[in-house]
Amino acid sequence: MSDSSVVTVGAGWALVGLVLLGLLVLLAAVVDGLVGARASGASALGGAMRPLDEGARLLRQRRRTTVAADSLLWRLGGGGLLVTAALMIAVVPLGDWTILDLDVGIVWFNAMDVLVWALLWLTGWGANSAHGLIGGYRFLALALGYELPLMFALVAPAIAAESLNVGTVAAAQDGVWFVVWMPIAFVVYLMGVAAFSVWGPFAPALGSDIAGGVAAELSSVDRLVFEGGRYALLAAGAAFAVPMFLGGGSGPLLPGWLWVVVKAATVLLVLVWGRRRLPAARPDVFVEVGWLVLLPAVLVQDLLVAVVAVWGS
């Protein structure tokens, strides 16, 4: 087992972490706009400017209200996504530094992604709208399919490093990155990130057939915060993949913290690019795939990792 060598920095550095998260969110939004513009035949400049245009439009928009809405829980659900993403990156080592060096950092990240279940459902339920409520239940149905495979995908690096500390997991990849001999866990992990970000094929909770589902009644700054939260969750998931599967801050020439940013941005761009590449996953079908295909596959991956870990100890 390798020991973590990361240094815990002061709480003030959390601002740096939030700035980096914000830059990754902006990168994802701009690239998503470019990809969307190319698919629709629009100009590249218009696609790149789309996040700014859409943000300005939403800030000018009048805030919509619904009859008998639970405004507190409604906005807590939408705004909570941004907070959850910030708490996720708190345990991601930036090279040799980290904001929160928990012995159970992997469990912390997993707990945060489960928190998204409640936040998405509250967003749909709080508006007191049929479409929003259906969207919320759609997300819960989908979550039943991805959560267990995601959890066991996170178990594989922990077994290999013999630790639940994220810094220790990154340090254990001095020789070979875990993605090389844990490809199934890595793919399932990325699928889970896309799912808890309500992204690409895992966005039936926002389906046009239910008028936007969870986000049907969101408008103005509420809609802006909600969409920003989805991008932030995607960015946080991409950042967490770096210490878990991609060797953390290891790499030639560049300092460790910069390698973490480069690797996180690369994973994020792959997730953004994949948004329009796959058909939407029906919750009932995806639950079958998740339990009958993904879960057994990732359990076999865990077993192989455990055998290698025991053999090498």
Side-chain angles (χ1 to χ4, degrees), residues 7-189:
V7 176
T8 304
V9 296
W13 285 91
L15 289 175
V16 177
L18 291 176
V19 169
L20 289 175
L21 179 63
L23 291 175
L24 287 175
V25 167
L26 184 61
L27 172 68
V30 169
V31 173
D32 190 38
L34 285 170
V35 174
R38 182 176 180 183
S40 62
S43 70
L45 180 61
M49 295 298 292
R50 184 183 159 205
L52 295 178
D53 293 342
E54 184 68 7
R57 183 187 71 80
L58 288 173
L59 287 175
R60 293 195 306 270
Q61 191 178 53
R62 186 175 180 181
R63 210 172 195 179
R64 183 185 306 167
T65 57
T66 55
V67 177
D70 192 327
S71 300
L72 176 61
L73 295 183
W74 187 15
R75 279 155 191 145
L76 180 67
L81 299 182
L82 277 174
V83 177
T84 303
L87 293 174
M88 283 178 171
I89 64 161
V91 295
V92 177
L94 195 60
D96 296 329
W97 308 294
T98 185
I99 298 170
L100 204 55
D101 189 24
L102 297 179
D103 289 338
V104 290
I106 296 176
V107 178
W108 171 271
F109 179 87
N110 198 202
M112 292 303 106
D113 97 67
V114 172
L115 185 60
V116 175
W117 289 41
L119 295 173
L120 257 294
W121 188 82
L122 283 177
T123 307
W125 179 81
N128 192 31
S129 156
H131 290 130
L133 192 58
I134 293 171
Y137 279 115
R138 272 192 184 181
F139 179 77
L140 293 183
L142 198 70
L144 292 174
Y146 80 74
E147 190 57 48
L148 269 182
L150 172 61
M151 185 181 74
F152 282 104
L154 292 172
V155 165
I159 295 174
E162 302 178 36
S163 175
L164 291 168
N165 178 276
V166 182
T168 302
V169 172
Q173 302 172 63
D174 273 345
V176 181
W177 292 0
F178 285 166
V179 66
V180 174
W181 58 295
M182 302 178 192
I184 296 174
F186 182 62
V187 170
V188 170
Y189 171 78

Side-chain angles (χ1 to χ4, degrees), residues 226-240:
F226 177 80
E227 295 297 339
R230 290 176 60 216
Y231 280 105
L233 286 173
L234 202 68
F240 195 72

Side-chain angles (χ1 to χ4, degrees), residues 141-302:
L142 198 70
L144 292 174
Y146 80 74
E147 190 57 48
L148 269 182
L150 172 61
M151 185 181 74
F152 282 104
L154 292 172
V155 165
I159 295 174
E162 302 178 36
S163 175
L164 291 168
N165 178 276
V166 182
T168 302
V169 172
Q173 302 172 63
D174 273 345
V176 181
W177 292 0
F178 285 166
V179 66
V180 174
W181 58 295
M182 302 178 192
I184 296 174
F186 182 62
V187 170
V188 170
Y189 171 78
L190 292 183
M191 197 177 297
V193 170
F196 70 61
S197 305
V198 204
W199 191 255
F202 305 104
L206 306 175
S208 57
D209 60 321
I210 49 175
V214 169
E217 307 296 343
L218 290 175
S219 62
S220 187
V221 68
D222 297 328
R223 182 63 178 254
L224 184 60
V225 169
F226 177 80
E227 295 297 339
R230 290 176 60 216
Y231 280 105
L233 286 173
L234 202 68
F240 195 72
V242 176
M244 294 299 288
F245 295 99
L246 301 175
S250 64
L253 302 177
L254 300 177
W257 68 268
L258 191 51
W259 269 117
V260 173
V261 175
V262 170
K263 291 175 185 178
T266 303
V267 174
L268 182 60
L269 292 180
V270 170
L271 290 169
V272 171
W273 174 82
R275 179 180 186 179
R276 297 172 178 82
R277 299 288 169 177
L278 297 171
R282 272 178 45 190
D284 56 327
V285 174
F286 183 72
V287 167
E288 289 188 24
V289 173
W291 284 70
L292 299 178
V293 179
L294 298 180
L295 185 56
V298 79
L299 284 175
V300 170
Q301 173 82 90
D302 288 348

